[in-house]
Amino acid sequence: MKRIFSLMIAVMLAFSLVGCGSSSTSSSSTTTAATTKATEATTAATESTEAEEETTELSGKVVVYMPSPSGLNEKYIADFEEKTSITVELFEGTTGEILARLEAEKDNPVADVVVLASWSDGLSLKETGVLMSYEDAENADLLYDSWVDDDYMLFGTSASAVGVIYNTTLIESLDADWDELADEAYTDLLAIADPEKSGSCKDFLAGYMYSTNEDWSAFEAMAAIGMTVPGANKAALEAVTTGEKAILVAGVDYNAYSSIAKGEPLAIYYPESGTVINPRPAMILSSSQNVENAKAFIDYLMSDDAQQLVADAYLLPGRSDITCDNRTNVDEIPTFDLDWTWMMENADSIAAKLNELCE
């Protein structure tokens, strides 16, 4: 304000010179120059003030609900807070836990940004009308084409794929396709993550059923030879890592790569018939109380730095211009032909049926 006040005085002095000066060309030029300088300075001061106001907007907090991995989330938050001065309040849980929390809070929404490990669950949220469009999101044009919905509500800023993970101390080598895992040779050796807790497993099952015209025979046979459901992704992988089970059917790949890097006796492969690459949608709730901060967080997730953090965490980066050197990349993974709308409509019932088979 002091700067603007000083500039106003300068402008007044300039006009005073116009009134008191002579009509000579020299006096007129001096007056014009003074007026121009004063105008330019006023414009600069106004722009500076607007910039300060814009910076002021990027303060306060943003409430984010996000699934694991915890290490990645911690790095996200530290980097984002340092870059923006916005405080992140994080709730971390499985996709099922996040959805349950959103349901419990539907009359008094808390979250600004929600990230899920299930594209179909993101589409379901969109169907309920609780998401906000963000057409000007930075770097959204660099995401894989199918990893942004047409209304710019879902942004697949990272992804995981589902594969077969096995304990190499119990099974030396394995490359069986999905239906071949139902062999009696694998009796009591199979585990699968709970698809009602794991969004990745749920979307895999929905994709498998869509691609096979809802052929349940392979999973019915796996259940018949003792396939169990130890829990969500972490618990299911732990059962295989410890040797309680030998094979994790439809295991989330980034967990496997991370464990292998730590020296665990595990291996992973993607069956030849295909699998599901599952974009993890980041979304802004229309009930957000911190919209500009929420947009800033979405922009951050697609930034160079955040995408590198994704790759370092063994997830697939959402941007097609960034690849990994520590895991299999998108173009190297065989995939099913998918219909995400069909999967969204049927994923919950398919997940429930799988759990019924394995009881």
Side-chain angles (χ1 to χ4, degrees):
M1 290 301 294
K2 288 182 179 179
R3 292 200 304 271
I4 295 175
F5 182 74
S6 299
L7 291 169
M8 289 175 64
I9 292 174
V11 173
M12 291 172 66
L13 287 172
F15 282 108
S16 175
L17 287 172
V18 173
C20 298
S22 70
S23 59
S24 68
T25 301
S26 175
S27 176
S28 175
S29 298
T30 302
T31 301
T32 301
T35 302
T36 300
K37 288 182 179 179
T39 302
E40 290 175 349
T42 302
T43 301
T46 300
E47 291 175 349
S48 176
T49 301
E50 290 175 350
E52 289 175 1
E53 290 175 354
E54 183 176 346
T55 301
T56 301
E57 289 179 0
L58 292 180
S59 62
K61 70 176 183 178
V62 61
V63 181
V64 179
Y65 292 179
M66 203 157 40
S68 59
S70 297
L72 173 60
N73 293 342
E74 291 170 0
K75 292 175 181 176
Y76 271 159
I77 292 170
D79 192 36
F80 177 73
E81 290 183 340
E82 181 180 355
K83 284 179 166 66
T84 65
S85 298
I86 298 170
T87 299
V88 178
E89 295 183 3
L90 174 69
F91 170 73
E92 182 178 289
T94 66
T95 292
E97 289 168 344
I98 291 172
L99 292 173
R101 183 158 181 154
L102 290 174
E103 177 64 21
E105 296 172 347
K106 66 180 180 181
D107 293 330
N108 295 288
V110 176
D112 299 304
V113 173
V114 173
V115 182
L116 300 175
S118 165
W119 190 257
S120 68
D121 281 328
L123 292 174
S124 293
L125 275 185
K126 179 181 175 179
E127 288 286 304
T128 66
V130 301
L131 301 182
M132 176 184 297
S133 177
Y134 182 26
E135 293 188 16
D136 299 325
E138 294 180 10
N139 293 320
D141 59 322
L142 297 178
L143 299 180
Y144 288 97
D145 290 341
S146 59
W147 295 17
V148 184
D149 73 308
D150 293 338
D151 298 307
Y152 294 93
M153 293 183 177
L154 282 71
F155 300 91
T157 60
S158 63
S160 63
V162 167
V164 177
I165 304 168
Y166 61 96
N167 187 314
T168 56
T169 64
L170 300 176
I171 297 178
E172 184 176 348
S173 179
L174 185 65
D175 61 0
D177 215 321
W178 300 111
D179 58 348
E180 295 171 338
L181 292 171
D183 193 294
E184 289 186 357
Y186 306 124
T187 297
D188 294 329
L189 296 181
L190 304 177
I192 190 169
D194 185 343
E196 293 184 291
K197 295 179 180 177
S198 165
S200 299
C201 186
K202 179 170 72 172
D203 281 355
F204 163 76
L205 288 171
Y208 179 91
M209 292 305 161
Y210 175 79
S211 68
T212 61
N213 294 314
E214 299 185 72
D215 182 358
W216 278 92
S217 60
F219 285 90
E220 288 170 344
M222 290 184 216
I225 62 171
M227 182 168 68
T228 60
V229 183
N233 294 320
K234 184 177 180 180
L237 182 62
E238 183 69 14
V240 174
T241 303
T242 61
E244 177 186 344
K245 296 288 182 174
I247 302 169
L248 179 56
V249 180
V252 180
D253 60 359
Y254 73 86
N255 284 337
Y257 289 117
S258 177
S259 295
I260 292 168
K262 294 174 183 176
E264 299 291 357
L266 299 172
I268 181 172
Y269 70 94
Y270 305 97
E272 185 177 350
S273 64
T275 187
V276 172
I277 296 177
N278 196 346
R280 296 156 59 99
M283 303 157 284
I284 302 174
L285 294 185
S286 56
S287 57
S288 171
Q289 300 299 304
N290 304 285
V291 173
E292 294 306 314
N293 292 350
K295 289 180 177 179
F297 192 79
I298 294 292
D299 289 342
Y300 169 74
L301 291 178
M302 291 181 280
S303 69
D304 291 351
D305 290 344
Q307 289 290 289
Q308 188 57 55
L309 290 176
V310 168
D312 293 343
Y314 303 99
L315 281 161
L316 292 164
R319 281 173 42 177
S320 58
D321 61 327
I322 297 177
T323 56
C324 304
D325 58 10
N326 58 0
R327 57 152 297 146
T328 308
N329 285 291
V330 170
D331 60 357
E332 301 167 317
I333 300 174
T335 56
F336 301 135
D337 291 327
L338 302 176
D339 182 331
W340 282 101
T341 300
W342 184 94
M343 292 162 62
M344 173 192 70
E345 294 169 348
N346 293 278
D348 287 341
S349 60
I350 289 171
K353 181 171 180 178
L354 186 282
N355 275 339
E356 290 174 4
L357 288 174
C358 294
E359 286 180 350

